PDB file of all heavy atoms in Angstrom:
ATOM      1  N   GLU A   1     142.479  -9.210 -84.425  1.00  0.00           N
ATOM      2  CA  GLU A   1     141.883  -7.922 -84.103  1.00  0.00           C
ATOM      3  C   GLU A   1     142.865  -6.790 -84.429  1.00  0.00           C
ATOM      4  O   GLU A   1     142.496  -5.787 -85.041  1.00  0.00           O
ATOM      5  CB  GLU A   1     141.493  -7.861 -82.628  1.00  0.00           C
ATOM      6  CG  GLU A   1     140.833  -6.562 -82.232  1.00  0.00           C
ATOM      7  CD  GLU A   1     140.543  -6.473 -80.746  1.00  0.00           C
ATOM      8  OE1 GLU A   1     140.892  -7.394 -79.985  1.00  0.00           O
ATOM      9  OE2 GLU A   1     139.961  -5.449 -80.348  1.00  0.00           O
ATOM     10  N   LEU A   2     144.116  -6.959 -84.031  1.00  0.00           N
ATOM     11  CA  LEU A   2     145.147  -5.975 -84.335  1.00  0.00           C
ATOM     12  C   LEU A   2     145.311  -5.823 -85.842  1.00  0.00           C
ATOM     13  O   LEU A   2     145.365  -4.712 -86.368  1.00  0.00           O
ATOM     14  CB  LEU A   2     146.477  -6.367 -83.692  1.00  0.00           C
ATOM     15  CG  LEU A   2     147.700  -5.548 -84.085  1.00  0.00           C
ATOM     16  CD1 LEU A   2     147.534  -4.086 -83.689  1.00  0.00           C
ATOM     17  CD2 LEU A   2     148.954  -6.132 -83.455  1.00  0.00           C
ATOM     18  N   GLN A   3     145.367  -6.928 -86.553  1.00  0.00           N
ATOM     19  CA  GLN A   3     145.522  -6.895 -88.011  1.00  0.00           C
ATOM     20  C   GLN A   3     144.363  -6.140 -88.654  1.00  0.00           C
ATOM     21  O   GLN A   3     144.571  -5.310 -89.546  1.00  0.00           O
ATOM     22  CB  GLN A   3     145.588  -8.314 -88.566  1.00  0.00           C
ATOM     23  CG  GLN A   3     145.764  -8.363 -90.072  1.00  0.00           C
ATOM     24  CD  GLN A   3     145.841  -9.789 -90.588  1.00  0.00           C
ATOM     25  OE1 GLN A   3     145.815 -10.755 -89.835  1.00  0.00           O
ATOM     26  NE2 GLN A   3     145.931  -9.918 -91.883  1.00  0.00           N
ATOM     27  N   ASN A   4     143.143  -6.401 -88.210  1.00  0.00           N
ATOM     28  CA  ASN A   4     141.978  -5.716 -88.769  1.00  0.00           C
ATOM     29  C   ASN A   4     142.025  -4.217 -88.523  1.00  0.00           C
ATOM     30  O   ASN A   4     141.710  -3.418 -89.406  1.00  0.00           O
ATOM     31  CB  ASN A   4     140.682  -6.303 -88.195  1.00  0.00           C
ATOM     32  CG  ASN A   4     140.401  -7.690 -88.706  1.00  0.00           C
ATOM     33  OD1 ASN A   4     140.879  -8.083 -89.769  1.00  0.00           O
ATOM     34  ND2 ASN A   4     139.636  -8.459 -87.953  1.00  0.00           N
ATOM     35  N   VAL A   5     142.435  -3.811 -87.323  1.00  0.00           N
ATOM     36  CA  VAL A   5     142.518  -2.385 -86.997  1.00  0.00           C
ATOM     37  C   VAL A   5     143.572  -1.703 -87.864  1.00  0.00           C
ATOM     38  O   VAL A   5     143.348  -0.623 -88.410  1.00  0.00           O
ATOM     39  CB  VAL A   5     142.817  -2.185 -85.491  1.00  0.00           C
ATOM     40  CG1 VAL A   5     143.212  -0.750 -85.197  1.00  0.00           C
ATOM     41  CG2 VAL A   5     141.606  -2.574 -84.662  1.00  0.00           C
ATOM     42  N   VAL A   6     144.726  -2.343 -88.011  1.00  0.00           N
ATOM     43  CA  VAL A   6     145.808  -1.756 -88.811  1.00  0.00           C
ATOM     44  C   VAL A   6     145.400  -1.660 -90.280  1.00  0.00           C
ATOM     45  O   VAL A   6     145.579  -0.622 -90.922  1.00  0.00           O
ATOM     46  CB  VAL A   6     147.118  -2.565 -88.647  1.00  0.00           C
ATOM     47  CG1 VAL A   6     148.159  -2.126 -89.661  1.00  0.00           C
ATOM     48  CG2 VAL A   6     147.650  -2.422 -87.225  1.00  0.00           C
ATOM     49  N   GLU A   7     144.823  -2.733 -90.825  1.00  0.00           N
ATOM     50  CA  GLU A   7     144.397  -2.705 -92.226  1.00  0.00           C
ATOM     51  C   GLU A   7     143.352  -1.619 -92.462  1.00  0.00           C
ATOM     52  O   GLU A   7     143.420  -0.885 -93.446  1.00  0.00           O
ATOM     53  CB  GLU A   7     143.834  -4.067 -92.634  1.00  0.00           C
ATOM     54  CG  GLU A   7     144.899  -5.124 -92.825  1.00  0.00           C
ATOM     55  CD  GLU A   7     144.325  -6.482 -93.175  1.00  0.00           C
ATOM     56  OE1 GLU A   7     143.081  -6.640 -93.215  1.00  0.00           O
ATOM     57  OE2 GLU A   7     145.122  -7.399 -93.414  1.00  0.00           O
ATOM     58  N   ARG A   8     142.401  -1.517 -91.557  1.00  0.00           N
ATOM     59  CA  ARG A   8     141.347  -0.512 -91.691  1.00  0.00           C
ATOM     60  C   ARG A   8     141.926   0.900 -91.645  1.00  0.00           C
ATOM     61  O   ARG A   8     141.556   1.770 -92.429  1.00  0.00           O
ATOM     62  CB  ARG A   8     140.329  -0.724 -90.570  1.00  0.00           C
ATOM     63  CG  ARG A   8     139.175   0.205 -90.600  1.00  0.00           C
ATOM     64  CD  ARG A   8     138.143  -0.255 -89.553  1.00  0.00           C
ATOM     65  NE  ARG A   8     137.105   0.697 -89.424  1.00  0.00           N
ATOM     66  CZ  ARG A   8     137.052   1.640 -88.502  1.00  0.00           C
ATOM     67  NH1 ARG A   8     137.973   1.720 -87.592  1.00  0.00           N
ATOM     68  NH2 ARG A   8     136.067   2.494 -88.461  1.00  0.00           N
ATOM     69  N   ALA A   9     142.854   1.125 -90.713  1.00  0.00           N
ATOM     70  CA  ALA A   9     143.465   2.453 -90.579  1.00  0.00           C
ATOM     71  C   ALA A   9     144.246   2.823 -91.833  1.00  0.00           C
ATOM     72  O   ALA A   9     144.190   3.963 -92.297  1.00  0.00           O
ATOM     73  CB  ALA A   9     144.371   2.487 -89.347  1.00  0.00           C
ATOM     74  N   VAL A  10     144.969   1.869 -92.391  1.00  0.00           N
ATOM     75  CA  VAL A  10     145.766   2.134 -93.594  1.00  0.00           C
ATOM     76  C   VAL A  10     144.859   2.377 -94.798  1.00  0.00           C
ATOM     77  O   VAL A  10     145.076   3.313 -95.576  1.00  0.00           O
ATOM     78  CB  VAL A  10     146.744   0.966 -93.865  1.00  0.00           C
ATOM     79  CG1 VAL A  10     147.382   1.089 -95.237  1.00  0.00           C
ATOM     80  CG2 VAL A  10     147.818   0.913 -92.783  1.00  0.00           C
ATOM     81  N   LEU A  11     143.817   1.569 -94.942  1.00  0.00           N
ATOM     82  CA  LEU A  11     142.930   1.695 -96.102  1.00  0.00           C
ATOM     83  C   LEU A  11     142.053   2.941 -96.051  1.00  0.00           C
ATOM     84  O   LEU A  11     141.808   3.570 -97.072  1.00  0.00           O
ATOM     85  CB  LEU A  11     142.046   0.458 -96.225  1.00  0.00           C
ATOM     86  CG  LEU A  11     142.771  -0.824 -96.624  1.00  0.00           C
ATOM     87  CD1 LEU A  11     141.819  -2.004 -96.541  1.00  0.00           C
ATOM     88  CD2 LEU A  11     143.353  -0.706 -98.014  1.00  0.00           C
ATOM     89  N   LEU A  12     141.575   3.299 -94.864  1.00  0.00           N
ATOM     90  CA  LEU A  12     140.647   4.423 -94.751  1.00  0.00           C
ATOM     91  C   LEU A  12     141.324   5.740 -94.400  1.00  0.00           C
ATOM     92  O   LEU A  12     140.697   6.792 -94.486  1.00  0.00           O
ATOM     93  CB  LEU A  12     139.562   4.115 -93.706  1.00  0.00           C
ATOM     94  CG  LEU A  12     138.672   2.919 -94.032  1.00  0.00           C
ATOM     95  CD1 LEU A  12     137.676   2.679 -92.912  1.00  0.00           C
ATOM     96  CD2 LEU A  12     137.956   3.117 -95.351  1.00  0.00           C
ATOM     97  N   GLY A  13     142.593   5.680 -94.009  1.00  0.00           N
ATOM     98  CA  GLY A  13     143.309   6.896 -93.662  1.00  0.00           C
ATOM     99  C   GLY A  13     143.505   7.789 -94.874  1.00  0.00           C
ATOM    100  O   GLY A  13     143.593   7.317 -96.010  1.00  0.00           O
ATOM    101  N   LYS A  14     143.581   9.071 -94.621  1.00  0.00           N
ATOM    102  CA  LYS A  14     143.709  10.028 -95.721  1.00  0.00           C
ATOM    103  C   LYS A  14     145.164  10.407 -96.008  1.00  0.00           C
ATOM    104  O   LYS A  14     145.439  11.101 -96.969  1.00  0.00           O
ATOM    105  CB  LYS A  14     142.921  11.296 -95.406  1.00  0.00           C
ATOM    106  CG  LYS A  14     141.431  11.073 -95.381  1.00  0.00           C
ATOM    107  CD  LYS A  14     140.700  12.367 -95.189  1.00  0.00           C
ATOM    108  CE  LYS A  14     139.211  12.151 -95.270  1.00  0.00           C
ATOM    109  NZ  LYS A  14     138.459  13.388 -95.159  1.00  0.00           N
ATOM    110  N   HIS A  15     146.090   9.952 -95.163  1.00  0.00           N
ATOM    111  CA  HIS A  15     147.488  10.346 -95.315  1.00  0.00           C
ATOM    112  C   HIS A  15     148.378   9.109 -95.319  1.00  0.00           C
ATOM    113  O   HIS A  15     147.939   8.007 -95.003  1.00  0.00           O
ATOM    114  CB  HIS A  15     147.895  11.274 -94.165  1.00  0.00           C
ATOM    115  CG  HIS A  15     146.978  12.452 -94.007  1.00  0.00           C
ATOM    116  ND1 HIS A  15     146.953  13.508 -94.893  1.00  0.00           N
ATOM    117  CD2 HIS A  15     146.033  12.728 -93.086  1.00  0.00           C
ATOM    118  CE1 HIS A  15     146.050  14.384 -94.516  1.00  0.00           C
ATOM    119  NE2 HIS A  15     145.465  13.940 -93.419  1.00  0.00           N
ATOM    120  N   ASP A  16     149.637   9.300 -95.669  1.00  0.00           N
ATOM    121  CA  ASP A  16     150.584   8.185 -95.655  1.00  0.00           C
ATOM    122  C   ASP A  16     150.952   7.765 -94.241  1.00  0.00           C
ATOM    123  O   ASP A  16     151.414   6.658 -94.020  1.00  0.00           O
ATOM    124  CB  ASP A  16     151.863   8.555 -96.414  1.00  0.00           C
ATOM    125  CG  ASP A  16     151.643   8.570 -97.919  1.00  0.00           C
ATOM    126  OD1 ASP A  16     150.644   7.977 -98.381  1.00  0.00           O
ATOM    127  OD2 ASP A  16     152.457   9.175 -98.632  1.00  0.00           O
ATOM    128  N   LYS A  17     150.752   8.665 -93.294  1.00  0.00           N
ATOM    129  CA  LYS A  17     151.056   8.360 -91.904  1.00  0.00           C
ATOM    130  C   LYS A  17     149.751   8.150 -91.152  1.00  0.00           C
ATOM    131  O   LYS A  17     148.887   9.012 -91.133  1.00  0.00           O
ATOM    132  CB  LYS A  17     151.856   9.492 -91.254  1.00  0.00           C
ATOM    133  CG  LYS A  17     152.315   9.186 -89.844  1.00  0.00           C
ATOM    134  CD  LYS A  17     153.222  10.269 -89.329  1.00  0.00           C
ATOM    135  CE  LYS A  17     154.617   9.690 -89.300  1.00  0.00           C
ATOM    136  NZ  LYS A  17     155.578  10.543 -88.647  1.00  0.00           N
ATOM    137  N   VAL A  18     149.598   6.962 -90.543  1.00  0.00           N
ATOM    138  CA  VAL A  18     148.399   6.645 -89.779  1.00  0.00           C
ATOM    139  C   VAL A  18     148.454   7.401 -88.461  1.00  0.00           C
ATOM    140  O   VAL A  18     149.425   7.306 -87.716  1.00  0.00           O
ATOM    141  CB  VAL A  18     148.287   5.128 -89.522  1.00  0.00           C
ATOM    142  CG1 VAL A  18     147.110   4.817 -88.601  1.00  0.00           C
ATOM    143  CG2 VAL A  18     148.166   4.376 -90.838  1.00  0.00           C
ATOM    144  N   GLY A  19     147.403   8.157 -88.192  1.00  0.00           N
ATOM    145  CA  GLY A  19     147.328   8.920 -86.955  1.00  0.00           C
ATOM    146  C   GLY A  19     146.246   8.380 -86.044  1.00  0.00           C
ATOM    147  O   GLY A  19     145.497   7.469 -86.405  1.00  0.00           O
ATOM    148  N   VAL A  20     146.148   8.944 -84.867  1.00  0.00           N
ATOM    149  CA  VAL A  20     145.146   8.528 -83.898  1.00  0.00           C
ATOM    150  C   VAL A  20     143.742   8.675 -84.479  1.00  0.00           C
ATOM    151  O   VAL A  20     142.858   7.859 -84.225  1.00  0.00           O
ATOM    152  CB  VAL A  20     145.287   9.346 -82.591  1.00  0.00           C
ATOM    153  CG1 VAL A  20     144.171   9.030 -81.622  1.00  0.00           C
ATOM    154  CG2 VAL A  20     146.637   9.089 -81.947  1.00  0.00           C
ATOM    155  N   GLU A  21     143.542   9.698 -85.293  1.00  0.00           N
ATOM    156  CA  GLU A  21     142.224   9.937 -85.878  1.00  0.00           C
ATOM    157  C   GLU A  21     141.794   8.828 -86.834  1.00  0.00           C
ATOM    158  O   GLU A  21     140.615   8.708 -87.160  1.00  0.00           O
ATOM    159  CB  GLU A  21     142.188  11.290 -86.604  1.00  0.00           C
ATOM    160  CG  GLU A  21     143.095  11.377 -87.806  1.00  0.00           C
ATOM    161  CD  GLU A  21     144.554  11.716 -87.492  1.00  0.00           C
ATOM    162  OE1 GLU A  21     144.896  11.888 -86.309  1.00  0.00           O
ATOM    163  OE2 GLU A  21     145.341  11.802 -88.441  1.00  0.00           O
ATOM    164  N   ASP A  22     142.731   7.986 -87.270  1.00  0.00           N
ATOM    165  CA  ASP A  22     142.419   6.878 -88.165  1.00  0.00           C
ATOM    166  C   ASP A  22     142.078   5.597 -87.411  1.00  0.00           C
ATOM    167  O   ASP A  22     141.675   4.607 -88.016  1.00  0.00           O
ATOM    168  CB  ASP A  22     143.605   6.604 -89.102  1.00  0.00           C
ATOM    169  CG  ASP A  22     143.925   7.797 -89.981  1.00  0.00           C
ATOM    170  OD1 ASP A  22     142.976   8.387 -90.534  1.00  0.00           O
ATOM    171  OD2 ASP A  22     145.109   8.152 -90.099  1.00  0.00           O
ATOM    172  N   LEU A  23     142.244   5.607 -86.095  1.00  0.00           N
ATOM    173  CA  LEU A  23     141.983   4.438 -85.264  1.00  0.00           C
ATOM    174  C   LEU A  23     140.561   4.473 -84.719  1.00  0.00           C
ATOM    175  O   LEU A  23     139.959   5.540 -84.617  1.00  0.00           O
ATOM    176  CB  LEU A  23     142.978   4.391 -84.100  1.00  0.00           C
ATOM    177  CG  LEU A  23     144.453   4.326 -84.470  1.00  0.00           C
ATOM    178  CD1 LEU A  23     145.314   4.399 -83.211  1.00  0.00           C
ATOM    179  CD2 LEU A  23     144.764   3.062 -85.258  1.00  0.00           C
ATOM    180  N   PRO A  24     140.009   3.305 -84.342  1.00  0.00           N
ATOM    181  CA  PRO A  24     138.689   3.286 -83.709  1.00  0.00           C
ATOM    182  C   PRO A  24     138.695   4.140 -82.437  1.00  0.00           C
ATOM    183  O   PRO A  24     139.731   4.301 -81.787  1.00  0.00           O
ATOM    184  CB  PRO A  24     138.477   1.809 -83.369  1.00  0.00           C
ATOM    185  CG  PRO A  24     139.374   1.072 -84.299  1.00  0.00           C
ATOM    186  CD  PRO A  24     140.556   1.967 -84.534  1.00  0.00           C
ATOM    187  N   LEU A  25     137.535   4.649 -82.075  1.00  0.00           N
ATOM    188  CA  LEU A  25     137.437   5.540 -80.924  1.00  0.00           C
ATOM    189  C   LEU A  25     137.976   4.919 -79.639  1.00  0.00           C
ATOM    190  O   LEU A  25     138.600   5.598 -78.834  1.00  0.00           O
ATOM    191  CB  LEU A  25     135.986   5.979 -80.721  1.00  0.00           C
ATOM    192  CG  LEU A  25     135.416   6.885 -81.806  1.00  0.00           C
ATOM    193  CD1 LEU A  25     133.950   7.168 -81.531  1.00  0.00           C
ATOM    194  CD2 LEU A  25     136.196   8.175 -81.889  1.00  0.00           C
ATOM    195  N   ALA A  26     137.745   3.623 -79.431  1.00  0.00           N
ATOM    196  CA  ALA A  26     138.223   2.962 -78.217  1.00  0.00           C
ATOM    197  C   ALA A  26     139.743   3.010 -78.125  1.00  0.00           C
ATOM    198  O   ALA A  26     140.309   3.140 -77.036  1.00  0.00           O
ATOM    199  CB  ALA A  26     137.742   1.518 -78.175  1.00  0.00           C
ATOM    200  N   LEU A  27     140.418   2.924 -79.249  1.00  0.00           N
ATOM    201  CA  LEU A  27     141.877   2.993 -79.260  1.00  0.00           C
ATOM    202  C   LEU A  27     142.356   4.431 -79.175  1.00  0.00           C
ATOM    203  O   LEU A  27     143.341   4.722 -78.511  1.00  0.00           O
ATOM    204  CB  LEU A  27     142.429   2.351 -80.531  1.00  0.00           C
ATOM    205  CG  LEU A  27     142.439   0.844 -80.473  1.00  0.00           C
ATOM    206  CD1 LEU A  27     141.854   0.276 -81.710  1.00  0.00           C
ATOM    207  CD2 LEU A  27     143.836   0.377 -80.262  1.00  0.00           C
ATOM    208  N   ALA A  28     141.677   5.318 -79.858  1.00  0.00           N
ATOM    209  CA  ALA A  28     142.070   6.727 -79.851  1.00  0.00           C
ATOM    210  C   ALA A  28     142.009   7.295 -78.443  1.00  0.00           C
ATOM    211  O   ALA A  28     142.804   8.162 -78.085  1.00  0.00           O
ATOM    212  CB  ALA A  28     141.178   7.524 -80.792  1.00  0.00           C
ATOM    213  N   ALA A  29     141.101   6.794 -77.628  1.00  0.00           N
ATOM    214  CA  ALA A  29     140.979   7.269 -76.256  1.00  0.00           C
ATOM    215  C   ALA A  29     142.217   6.917 -75.433  1.00  0.00           C
ATOM    216  O   ALA A  29     142.513   7.587 -74.442  1.00  0.00           O
ATOM    217  CB  ALA A  29     139.730   6.681 -75.608  1.00  0.00           C
ATOM    218  N   ALA A  30     142.954   5.889 -75.839  1.00  0.00           N
ATOM    219  CA  ALA A  30     144.152   5.482 -75.119  1.00  0.00           C
ATOM    220  C   ALA A  30     145.392   6.268 -75.541  1.00  0.00           C
ATOM    221  O   ALA A  30     146.446   6.142 -74.942  1.00  0.00           O
ATOM    222  CB  ALA A  30     144.415   3.991 -75.344  1.00  0.00           C
ATOM    223  N   ALA A  31     145.240   7.096 -76.549  1.00  0.00           N
ATOM    224  CA  ALA A  31     146.381   7.874 -77.042  1.00  0.00           C
ATOM    225  C   ALA A  31     146.702   8.992 -76.072  1.00  0.00           C
ATOM    226  O   ALA A  31     145.816   9.532 -75.413  1.00  0.00           O
ATOM    227  CB  ALA A  31     146.069   8.453 -78.409  1.00  0.00           C
ATOM    228  N   PRO A  32     147.974   9.361 -75.982  1.00  0.00           N
ATOM    229  CA  PRO A  32     148.335  10.485 -75.114  1.00  0.00           C
ATOM    230  C   PRO A  32     147.717  11.775 -75.642  1.00  0.00           C
ATOM    231  O   PRO A  32     147.567  11.943 -76.847  1.00  0.00           O
ATOM    232  CB  PRO A  32     149.861  10.521 -75.194  1.00  0.00           C
ATOM    233  CG  PRO A  32     150.214   9.777 -76.427  1.00  0.00           C
ATOM    234  CD  PRO A  32     149.104   8.800 -76.684  1.00  0.00           C
ATOM    235  N   LEU A  33     147.344  12.629 -74.736  1.00  0.00           N
ATOM    236  CA  LEU A  33     146.767  13.908 -75.133  1.00  0.00           C
ATOM    237  C   LEU A  33     147.879  14.858 -75.532  1.00  0.00           C
ATOM    238  O   LEU A  33     148.794  15.100 -74.759  1.00  0.00           O
ATOM    239  CB  LEU A  33     145.957  14.513 -73.983  1.00  0.00           C
ATOM    240  CG  LEU A  33     144.749  13.699 -73.543  1.00  0.00           C
ATOM    241  CD1 LEU A  33     144.107  14.343 -72.328  1.00  0.00           C
ATOM    242  CD2 LEU A  33     143.747  13.574 -74.665  1.00  0.00           C
ATOM    243  N   SER A  34     147.793  15.380 -76.727  1.00  0.00           N
ATOM    244  CA  SER A  34     148.775  16.371 -77.144  1.00  0.00           C
ATOM    245  C   SER A  34     148.326  17.732 -76.637  1.00  0.00           C
ATOM    246  O   SER A  34     147.186  17.911 -76.222  1.00  0.00           O
ATOM    247  CB  SER A  34     148.936  16.362 -78.665  1.00  0.00           C
ATOM    248  OG  SER A  34     147.706  16.601 -79.279  1.00  0.00           O
ATOM    249  N   ALA A  35     149.182  18.682 -76.701  1.00  0.00           N
ATOM    250  CA  ALA A  35     148.888  20.007 -76.159  1.00  0.00           C
ATOM    251  C   ALA A  35     147.652  20.605 -76.798  1.00  0.00           C
ATOM    252  O   ALA A  35     146.794  21.149 -76.134  1.00  0.00           O
ATOM    253  CB  ALA A  35     150.090  20.922 -76.351  1.00  0.00           C
ATOM    254  N   SER A  36     147.562  20.506 -78.099  1.00  0.00           N
ATOM    255  CA  SER A  36     146.407  21.065 -78.798  1.00  0.00           C
ATOM    256  C   SER A  36     146.185  20.288 -80.086  1.00  0.00           C
ATOM    257  O   SER A  36     146.771  20.611 -81.112  1.00  0.00           O
ATOM    258  CB  SER A  36     146.649  22.541 -79.106  1.00  0.00           C
ATOM    259  OG  SER A  36     145.553  23.066 -79.794  1.00  0.00           O
ATOM    260  N   PRO A  37     145.366  19.230 -80.055  1.00  0.00           N
ATOM    261  CA  PRO A  37     145.208  18.380 -81.221  1.00  0.00           C
ATOM    262  C   PRO A  37     144.625  19.091 -82.438  1.00  0.00           C
ATOM    263  O   PRO A  37     144.843  18.679 -83.554  1.00  0.00           O
ATOM    264  CB  PRO A  37     144.257  17.275 -80.745  1.00  0.00           C
ATOM    265  CG  PRO A  37     143.630  17.780 -79.508  1.00  0.00           C
ATOM    266  CD  PRO A  37     144.542  18.836 -78.948  1.00  0.00           C
ATOM    267  N   ALA A  38     143.888  20.179 -82.247  1.00  0.00           N
ATOM    268  CA  ALA A  38     143.280  20.875 -83.374  1.00  0.00           C
ATOM    269  C   ALA A  38     144.082  22.097 -83.799  1.00  0.00           C
ATOM    270  O   ALA A  38     143.631  22.858 -84.641  1.00  0.00           O
ATOM    271  CB  ALA A  38     141.858  21.279 -83.003  1.00  0.00           C
ATOM    272  N   ALA A  39     145.254  22.285 -83.236  1.00  0.00           N
ATOM    273  CA  ALA A  39     146.052  23.462 -83.563  1.00  0.00           C
ATOM    274  C   ALA A  39     146.335  23.526 -85.052  1.00  0.00           C
ATOM    275  O   ALA A  39     146.723  22.560 -85.673  1.00  0.00           O
ATOM    276  CB  ALA A  39     147.363  23.433 -82.788  1.00  0.00           C
ATOM    277  N   GLY A  40     146.097  24.701 -85.625  1.00  0.00           N
ATOM    278  CA  GLY A  40     146.386  24.908 -87.036  1.00  0.00           C
ATOM    279  C   GLY A  40     145.322  24.356 -87.969  1.00  0.00           C
ATOM    280  O   GLY A  40     145.509  24.346 -89.167  1.00  0.00           O
ATOM    281  N   ARG A  41     144.200  23.860 -87.419  1.00  0.00           N
ATOM    282  CA  ARG A  41     143.140  23.322 -88.257  1.00  0.00           C
ATOM    283  C   ARG A  41     141.848  24.095 -88.003  1.00  0.00           C
ATOM    284  O   ARG A  41     141.622  24.611 -86.919  1.00  0.00           O
ATOM    285  CB  ARG A  41     142.891  21.842 -87.945  1.00  0.00           C
ATOM    286  CG  ARG A  41     144.098  20.975 -88.230  1.00  0.00           C
ATOM    287  CD  ARG A  41     143.789  19.517 -88.102  1.00  0.00           C
ATOM    288  NE  ARG A  41     143.411  19.180 -86.730  1.00  0.00           N
ATOM    289  CZ  ARG A  41     142.945  18.005 -86.359  1.00  0.00           C
ATOM    290  NH1 ARG A  41     142.782  17.052 -87.244  1.00  0.00           N
ATOM    291  NH2 ARG A  41     142.632  17.765 -85.108  1.00  0.00           N
ATOM    292  N   THR A  42     141.018  24.116 -89.014  1.00  0.00           N
ATOM    293  CA  THR A  42     139.712  24.733 -88.836  1.00  0.00           C
ATOM    294  C   THR A  42     138.820  23.775 -88.057  1.00  0.00           C
ATOM    295  O   THR A  42     139.138  22.585 -87.914  1.00  0.00           O
ATOM    296  CB  THR A  42     139.057  25.027 -90.207  1.00  0.00           C
ATOM    297  OG1 THR A  42     138.782  23.774 -90.845  1.00  0.00           O
ATOM    298  CG2 THR A  42     139.939  25.900 -91.081  1.00  0.00           C
ATOM    299  N   LEU A  43     137.690  24.274 -87.585  1.00  0.00           N
ATOM    300  CA  LEU A  43     136.750  23.413 -86.860  1.00  0.00           C
ATOM    301  C   LEU A  43     136.273  22.274 -87.757  1.00  0.00           C
ATOM    302  O   LEU A  43     136.192  21.125 -87.323  1.00  0.00           O
ATOM    303  CB  LEU A  43     135.562  24.243 -86.365  1.00  0.00           C
ATOM    304  CG  LEU A  43     134.461  23.471 -85.649  1.00  0.00           C
ATOM    305  CD1 LEU A  43     135.017  22.780 -84.410  1.00  0.00           C
ATOM    306  CD2 LEU A  43     133.324  24.393 -85.272  1.00  0.00           C
ATOM    307  N   LYS A  44     135.997  22.578 -89.010  1.00  0.00           N
ATOM    308  CA  LYS A  44     135.546  21.551 -89.954  1.00  0.00           C
ATOM    309  C   LYS A  44     136.591  20.447 -90.097  1.00  0.00           C
ATOM    310  O   LYS A  44     136.267  19.262 -90.074  1.00  0.00           O
ATOM    311  CB  LYS A  44     135.245  22.185 -91.310  1.00  0.00           C
ATOM    312  CG  LYS A  44     134.723  21.195 -92.325  1.00  0.00           C
ATOM    313  CD  LYS A  44     134.392  21.864 -93.638  1.00  0.00           C
ATOM    314  CE  LYS A  44     133.916  20.821 -94.635  1.00  0.00           C
ATOM    315  NZ  LYS A  44     133.582  21.378 -95.920  1.00  0.00           N
TER     316      LYS A  44
END
């Protein structure tokens, strides 16, 4: 299960660094909340 999640995140991620947004929602919910996850980004 871990291997599948990691492979999926690496293959479908848009950047060289895998972020929380590249993980399934169930895992992303376990991530620490940053001060402002959308800071510096548009709504889109």
